[in-house]
Amino acid sequence: MGAVQENIAERRKQQQLPLRPAGPLTVKALLDWYAAERRDLPWRYGPRKAADPYRVWLSEIMLQQTTVKAVVPYFQKFVARWPTVTALAAAPLEEVLQQWAGLGYYSRARNLKACADVVVRDYDGAFPRAEIELLKLPGIGPYTAAAISAIAFGEKATPVDGNVERVVSRLFAVRQPLPTAKPEIRRLAATLTPQRRAGDFAQAMMDLGAEICTPKKPSCLVCPVQQDCAASAQNLAELLPLKAAKTARPSRYGIAFLVQREDGAVLLRQRPEAGLLGGMLEVPSTAWGDALPTKTQAMRSAPVSASWMPVPGTVVHVFTHFRLELIVYRALVSVDAGFTLWAEPERCRWVHRRDLHGQALPSVMKKIIAHGLADN
Ligand code: SF4
């Protein structure tokens, strides 16, 4: 616990402070707390200091649907390799996808490259500062546009992610469930955003949500804005935000074909540019459907004619919208083995096992390969 948090906790013990509605004093308390306790992240600059728009943009794209812990090494790798948006725009897409492999949600990597290209071509390498202009760029939605505008340029913009949603719904004791409450939460968040230091305020809200106002067991006792928090006053903190009941995640099934050549190479295929895992490499497989195909059905998708053997066990991977369960078939073929008609040979390539780690392979494909080669 830092010094500011210790002081707050001590004050709380000594006196019962009355609730005051969230407003400018909340913002001041939060900014003071942020100046003392903010997280030290590689894309951040000191409070009151202008940030590099390229680093802000890169970090915000990487952080979409991904934790800070997972993003940090990728961010460091990207800025070391491509220190400016111009350098990133000059890189081949394939290389960007390779470096992104493992971070998930691969359409982000394609949009990252497309956005860098547009910024260099149409904006002379300088990101626009207004939300409305940022929204025109590939891969930048309302949250990211507001985050870049506020953090990189200090514009009065209010990025509202899951952390901020939670903090605001508690500060104002919003009892409407999510997602219906989203517009009201955004409106309330905007009422707090200060004219100056909007970037520090946005990051302070993010940090408060990540460190203090956590989904479970929020640390209200050391919270810098407890005096302004309606949920805490009403003993509702852990119950908010309310969420509408979730529908169950459906399952899909398929059979993957892991072909190993006798020289140690493995067959990979590039997925179509559009759609899930677009442009990434895959282990060829059947379509992923509602039921597991029979072996006869599956063999219509096999990329080579070979003696296929099922590998015991299954590979399970959970995507945002569905759970995938795959059986892996394995075959060993000679170096002159030909493709079947449905292999799409122009999209296929042989990659030696020792070179697999450098490929643009999403996590699910790494799991398939690890499972298929486990005893090999
Ligand atoms: Fe969250 Fe508790 Fe702080 Fe309210 S007092 S903002 S519920 S940590």
Side-chain angles (χ1 to χ4, degrees), residues 65 105 247-252 276 290 317-324:
Q65 321 265 3
Y105 300 96
T247 50
R249 187 183 270 134
S251 286
R252 292 192 197 161
L276 185 71
D290 295 337
H317 189 79
V318 180
F319 292 97
T320 319
H321 300 299
F322 67 96
R323 172 185 174 276
L324 177 65

Side-chain angles (χ1 to χ4, degrees), residues 170 212-213 218 220 223 225-226 229 232 237:
R170 289 173 176 172
I212 304 279
C213 194
C220 298
C223 176
V225 293
Q226 192 197 23
C229 180
S232 178

Side-chain angles (χ1 to χ4, degrees), residues 339-360:
F339 292 113
T340 58
L341 279 176
W342 41 83
E344 300 179 84
E346 68 287 352
R347 302 182 74 90
C348 288
R349 69 181 74 164
W350 292 98
V351 178
H352 199 280
R353 282 181 69 171
R354 65 173 170 264
D355 299 324
L356 285 171
H357 71 277
Q359 303 298 316

Side-chain angles (χ1 to χ4, degrees), residues 55-133:
R55 292 167 76 95
V56 174
W57 162 73
L58 182 60
S59 65
E60 288 298 337
I61 300 292
M62 288 183 164
L63 285 164
Q64 290 167 1
Q65 321 265 3
T66 310
T67 63
V68 166
K69 190 171 170 219
V71 164
V72 166
Y74 280 86
F75 176 84
Q76 287 170 326
K77 183 170 68 172
F78 267 65
V79 292
R81 197 176 186 107
W82 300 299
T84 62
V85 69
T86 310
L88 184 60
L93 174 62
E94 171 103 30
E95 204 179 318
V96 175
L97 288 170
Q98 277 170 9
Q99 295 303 313
W100 192 278
L103 201 53
Y105 300 96
Y106 296 94
S107 60
R108 292 182 298 167
R110 289 198 310 283
N111 279 331
L112 190 81
K113 175 71 170 82
C115 184
D117 292 348
V118 174
V119 169
V120 169
R121 191 189 63 221
D122 298 346
Y123 294 86
D124 214 11
F127 280 87
R129 58 189 298 144
E131 275 179 277
I132 194 154
E133 279 297 310

Side-chain angles (χ1 to χ4, degrees), residues 215-255:
K216 290 181 187 152
K217 297 193 191 314
S219 307
C220 298
L221 192 62
V222 294
C223 176
V225 293
Q226 192 197 23
Q227 195 187 346
D228 317 307
C229 180
S232 178
Q234 296 168 36
N235 221 5
L236 288 173
E238 285 209 59
L239 296 177
L240 298 180
L242 297 176
K243 289 182 184 159
K246 271 191 186 168
T247 50
R249 187 183 270 134
S251 286
R252 292 192 197 161
Y253 304 89
I255 291 180

